[in-house]
Amino acid sequence: MVSLQRHFFLIYTFLFLILPISLPAQVLFTGQILDLRTQKSFGASGQKWSFRPGDSPLVKAEGKFSQGEDDPDFDSVRPLHFANAQIQLGDEVKNGWISGFQIQTSWDKVRDGDGEIYFPDFSDYVSKYKGYGWYRTEILITKEDLRSKFKSRYLTLRLGQISQADAVYWNGTFIGSSGLSIDTPDNTILDDKSLFADKTRFYRIPASLVKTDETNILAIRVFAKYPLSPGLSHDKFYISSQKYSERAEYWNDFKKIFVIVLTLLLGSFYLYWQFLFRRDEHATIYFSIGSIFMAINTLFQSQIIYSILNDGFWIKKIEYAAWIALVHFLFNFVVQFAQVHKGWIKKANIAVDVMGLLAFGSVFFLPDLYTLSKFFFYWSFVTILLGLSLCYIIFLGRKIPSMGTVSFGIFIMIILIMNDVLVEMQLDIYPGETFVKDYAFAGFSVSVALSIIGNMVASRKLVEKQKEEKDRLSRYFSPEVMETIVNDSIKLGGEERDIATLFSDIVGFTTFSEKNPPAVVLANLNTIFESLSELIFEYSATLDKFIGDAIMAFWGAPKKTDLDAYHAVACAVEMQKKMILINEQLGLPPDTFRLRIGVNFGEAIVGNIGSVRRMDYTVIGDAVNTAARLESHGVPGKVAVSEAAFLAAGGDKFLKYEESRELMLKGKAEPVKVYFVTEVLPRT
């Protein structure tokens, strides 16, 4: 387990070190894709793009729009023809383009050659250009590229996170959009539900529109209503074969589904495990509910949700609300898991609960996407502060099993969340360009999985230890009595109960011991005790102790039944019959060993008797002493049953006896009537 945690630590340390370098750059295998980013890796230039602020004027076009016979999935419609999307730019739109414009950086952060930001004030940009802008680039695809690199003439354009709406044109022809549509008029202000800030776009390029060995024109109309990384910012932008893009899209969805399924399974399994071993803890509830919100948050970050709910504003609302609930429940999970929910920590936890509840409810009442995004942006810092405060709680609960693994998962999640916050800020000092929240979820899930594995191993050892304890106890008690003792159902101290007590003594064993070596004596004694003990356990008795060559057993504790006296007498009769077989088994003459047995029934004190360091579960009292006297005054080969035990066992209706006597027993002022029972009749 230690080795597993060490490997886990090394892997995540390595990922953390390379995240700022390799993940944001997304350096891809260019043998299968055509990378469209202006910056493929740090210090290396990429595709050349131009940018023109504002929307495009319309140009007159006759006829209907058709994608060609090669792509029947595209319907024929009458589109709007934008001048900026044409293959050849007209005189009215040739001017105003900014060449070398960066994508993967929002347009309000792109700098010119002098280091000045082109559009520093977003509100001025919206006022002047209505939030629209156009990107344009030239792409050269050869026949050799289709044959050896793409290995297909059916291509797909992948656009990463675009804020906040777009429409795409290939060689002047509309091929798809998100938020905008083919007939959205110029300078139209979209409502918030049409803004898809984090959606990854996949647009199929009709094969009939792909030109080989000459320039293709890709034009993208973008709209940003709020200063939320406007334009082509973050993530990957490339052209690939349709098969490759389907695999990429499938893999992106698979990662989301994997996280969803993993968290739900972990939550369910952890709930089962905690209820199985720690019924008094609330940590299980918090983690299980948190895993549900983790799954919801991941689902609403996936591309799957856009095909179900076509409202970008509500998608973000539910995503953010689920994240706030997730943080709240995970915080409570760690506090409960660390078992430090007392004093000022309890009061602080209540304050966090109230704050989380208010934040969760507030999300659904925020009026627009910008307010929602800024609210969540600042709440991300609250998340980080809560995560850092957990360090002290983790320190207090450091002795809790598996706390180290869980705390490391929390640390990884905080680091990766900070990456997303810094990417959103697009600071020059932080070159990251890729959101990694999925990795944060996965990292925490893996850490909890490791903690569950660790706890399962510890639980397995505990079960094995309990099994060994049961095996040890089975040498002294019947299975029913043993289960009662293991479950700690026996009360400390003693209590009065009606008890049936049996004493037996081996007649002839002293003489046998004088004539045989000690090893032979011990072997024979163990054989006798083993056979008689099994018989006693069959009758659900508590085997109290071995006293030399004598046995003491009792019925009525810790479990009491109406047949305790009956079982005691029946067991005694069977023991006499068993003794005849034992002599044969040992190869000894008949009657070499015989039993004297006494059985009594009456009130006695039963419980754990002794001291704190050494105690026995036994019975004491006059009824027990009477049974011992009956055995000592008994007849070898016969069962002496007191009148109290005889009547409690059912009397002559179920017991047959050869004679009855009145015996004067030591310590008794009056004689005791004794029945010498020879047979016990069956009863239900």
Side-chain angles (χ1 to χ4, degrees):
M1 187 61 195
V2 174
S3 176
L4 187 61
Q5 292 180 0
R6 184 181 296 115
H7 290 161
F8 178 69
F9 176 80
L10 291 175
I11 290 172
Y12 269 92
T13 301
F14 175 74
L15 288 176
F16 173 67
L17 291 175
I18 67 171
L19 272 176
I21 300 175
S22 60
L23 278 180
Q26 295 290 344
V27 179
L28 302 176
F29 181 50
T30 55
Q32 298 182 39
I33 68 169
L34 176 60
D35 201 329
L36 299 178
R37 292 172 295 181
T38 52
Q39 181 176 269
K40 294 182 181 179
S41 62
F42 295 112
S45 60
Q47 185 76 18
K48 300 297 183 183
W49 287 81
S50 297
F51 178 80
R52 190 173 192 272
D55 209 349
S56 170
L58 299 174
V59 295
K60 185 177 180 181
E62 302 294 338
K64 287 192 175 184
F65 170 79
S66 176
Q67 298 291 357
E69 298 179 358
D70 289 336
D71 297 281
D73 292 339
F74 286 90
D75 297 327
S76 296
V77 295
R78 185 179 297 279
L80 297 175
H81 289 264
F82 293 95
N84 289 351
Q86 302 303 304
I87 298 177
Q88 297 293 331
L89 293 177
D91 293 337
E92 72 278 16
V93 293
K94 279 185 177 181
N95 298 323
W97 291 89
I98 304 172
S99 61
F101 203 83
Q102 296 180 16
I103 63 170
Q104 283 189 291
T105 302
S106 56
W107 76 50
D108 60 351
K109 292 186 179 296
V110 177
R111 299 179 183 274
D112 59 19
D114 298 327
E116 299 293 330
I117 297 178
Y118 281 107
F119 308 106
D121 192 326
F122 184 81
S123 59
D124 288 345
Y125 186 96
V126 172
S127 176
K128 184 176 181 180
Y129 301 112
K130 308 302 181 184
Y132 282 88
W134 281 78
Y135 290 89
R136 187 178 172 96
T137 188
E138 297 180 353
I139 299 171
L140 181 64
I141 299 175
T142 66
K143 292 181 179 179
E144 179 62 21
D145 291 334
L146 294 178
R147 187 184 65 82
S148 62
K149 293 184 178 180
F150 296 124
K151 299 180 181 179
S152 172
R153 67 190 188 99
Y154 296 101
L155 305 181
T156 297
L157 171 67
R158 183 198 192 276
L159 300 179
Q161 298 183 19
I162 301 176
S163 184
Q164 292 124 39
D166 69 285
V168 181
Y169 298 82
W170 183 271
N171 289 330
T173 302
F174 175 86
I175 62 172
S177 66
S178 297
L180 294 171
S181 66
I182 193 173
D183 56 353
T184 301
D186 57 325
N187 294 321
T188 299
I189 304 299
L190 303 179
D191 55 22
D192 283 24
K193 71 176 183 180
S194 299
L195 307 181
F196 300 95
D198 294 332
K199 180 182 178 183
T200 300
R201 281 76 158 168
F202 288 91
Y203 299 126
R204 186 158 59 88
I205 304 173
S208 59
L209 297 180
V210 178
K211 299 178 180 180
T212 55
D213 299 320
E214 60 179 299
T215 300
N216 294 272
I217 301 298
L218 172 63
I220 304 174
R221 181 191 184 195
V222 294
F223 170 78
K225 190 175 183 179
Y226 304 111
L228 304 173
S229 301
L232 307 185
S233 58
H234 310 316
D235 216 354
K236 294 169 282 188
F237 302 84
Y238 61 77
I239 296 174
S240 67
S241 66
Q242 185 174 330
K243 184 177 181 180
Y244 181 94
S245 65
E246 288 174 352
R247 287 201 306 267
E249 188 173 6
Y250 168 80
W251 175 244
N252 287 334
D253 289 338
F254 173 80
K255 287 190 295 184
K256 300 287 187 181
I257 294 172
F258 175 78
V259 172
I260 292 171
V261 174
L262 177 64
T263 52
L264 291 178
L265 286 178
L266 283 174
S268 301
F269 184 76
Y270 200 67
L271 181 66
Y272 167 76
W273 183 87
Q274 286 281 42
F275 277 142
L276 195 63
F277 292 100
R278 298 184 179 183
R279 299 174 183 270
D280 59 336
E281 292 191 358
H282 297 94
T284 170
I285 303 297
Y286 288 117
F287 180 81
S288 299
I289 299 177
S291 67
I292 294 174
F293 280 105
M294 182 183 289
I296 294 174
N297 179 269
T298 306
L299 174 63
F300 276 78
Q301 289 183 74
S302 70
Q303 305 307 308
I304 305 171
I305 196 64
Y306 291 99
S307 61
I308 302 174
L309 183 63
N310 192 30
D311 190 326
F313 189 32
W314 269 97
I315 288 175
K316 300 308 293 182
K317 278 188 175 183
I318 298 175
E319 176 193 335
Y320 292 161
W323 172 253
I324 292 172
L326 165 64
V327 170
H328 163 71
F329 283 109
L330 288 186
F331 182 85
N332 279 275
F333 161 72
V334 176
V335 172
Q336 295 290 331
F337 190 84
Q339 300 179 9
V340 292
H341 39 278
K342 294 181 180 180
W344 69 270
I345 294 180
K346 183 177 181 180
K347 295 180 181 178
N349 196 26
I350 294 175
V352 171
D353 290 348
V354 173
M355 185 170 56
L357 185 62
L358 292 175
F360 181 85
S362 299
V363 165
F364 295 98
F365 294 97
L366 296 177
D368 54 61
L369 181 63
Y370 179 69
T371 306
L372 175 67
S373 299
K374 296 302 289 185
F375 176 84
F376 185 72
F377 174 76
Y378 290 115
W379 178 259
S380 298
F381 288 98
V382 175
T383 301
I384 295 172
L385 290 176
L386 289 177
L388 295 177
S389 68
L390 289 178
C391 295
Y392 179 68
I393 296 175
I394 290 170
F395 173 77
L396 295 178
R398 61 191 181 278
K399 295 183 179 180
I400 300 297
S402 300
M403 177 55 74
T405 307
V406 172
S407 60
F408 183 74
I410 294 173
F411 171 76
I412 291 297
M413 187 164 66
I414 292 172
I415 293 298
L416 297 182
I417 291 171
M418 288 181 66
N419 170 80
D420 285 16
V421 174
L422 295 173
V423 168
E424 187 70 27
M425 296 173 69
Q426 286 199 308
L427 300 174
D428 293 336
I429 60 174
Y430 188 75
E433 297 166 349
T434 301
F435 292 110
V436 292
K437 191 182 293 182
D438 288 346
Y439 300 98
F441 290 163
F444 181 77
S445 300
V446 169
S447 72
V448 174
L450 289 176
S451 74
I452 292 177
I453 293 173
N455 288 330
M456 287 180 63
V457 172
S459 300
R460 180 68 178 177
K461 291 180 180 178
L462 178 62
V463 170
E464 292 294 333
K465 185 176 180 180
Q466 289 178 341
K467 184 179 179 182
E468 292 176 1
E469 185 68 14
K470 286 183 178 181
D471 291 340
R472 186 181 67 83
L473 291 174
S474 66
R475 303 171 188 173
Y476 302 94
F477 305 99
S478 66
E480 294 82 2
V481 174
M482 178 185 64
E483 287 296 332
T484 305
I485 295 174
V486 170
N487 294 331
D488 199 24
S489 299
I490 301 172
K491 295 172 65 176
L492 294 175
E495 60 178 327
E496 289 187 359
R497 284 198 183 187
D498 288 330
I499 299 294
T501 311
L502 178 151
F503 278 87
S504 72
D505 185 51
I506 304 174
V507 179
F509 193 79
T510 302
T511 303
F512 182 83
S513 301
E514 294 174 351
K515 297 179 180 180
N516 291 278
V520 175
V521 174
L522 181 61
N524 281 269
L525 183 61
N526 286 339
T527 300
I528 296 171
F529 280 166
E530 183 175 356
S531 297
L532 296 180
S533 297
E534 290 179 358
L535 186 59
I536 290 171
F537 289 154
E538 287 179 11
Y539 281 89
S540 303
T542 298
L543 200 164
D544 190 297
K545 60 176 69 72
F546 298 106
I547 311 170
D549 58 359
I551 295 176
M552 175 185 173
F554 59 87
W555 286 255
K559 291 186 178 180
K560 180 180 179 180
T561 70
D562 295 334
L563 300 178
D564 289 333
Y566 174 83
H567 286 154
V569 177
C571 179
V573 172
E574 287 298 319
M575 287 172 67
Q576 292 290 13
K577 296 178 181 179
K578 188 77 170 181
M579 201 65 221
I580 298 173
L581 299 177
I582 291 174
N583 281 313
E584 295 178 0
Q585 180 183 348
L586 295 175
L588 301 173
D591 296 334
T592 300
F593 296 133
R594 292 182 296 170
L595 289 179
R596 249 192 341 256
I597 301 178
V599 179
N600 187 34
F601 183 80
E603 279 192 355
I605 302 296
V606 59
N608 289 319
I609 298 172
S611 66
V612 175
R613 292 183 176 272
R614 176 69 172 90
M615 61 179 61
D616 288 324
Y617 184 71
T618 187
V619 290
I620 58 174
D622 182 65
V624 180
N625 295 335
T626 300
R629 301 288 185 268
L630 286 174
E631 178 270 312
S632 62
H633 288 76
V635 179
K638 296 184 178 181
V639 178
V641 180
S642 69
E643 184 177 26
F646 184 83
L647 296 176
D652 54 11
K653 182 178 179 181
F654 298 104
L655 306 181
K656 292 185 177 182
Y657 59 95
E658 60 181 20
E659 63 173 317
S660 63
R661 305 179 193 172
E662 287 190 352
L663 300 178
M664 286 300 300
L665 304 180
K666 183 179 180 180
K668 291 289 185 180
E670 299 293 334
V672 176
K673 189 171 184 179
V674 179
Y675 296 83
F676 290 94
V677 178
T678 57
E679 185 178 355
V680 178
L681 301 178
R683 65 182 289 180
T684 56

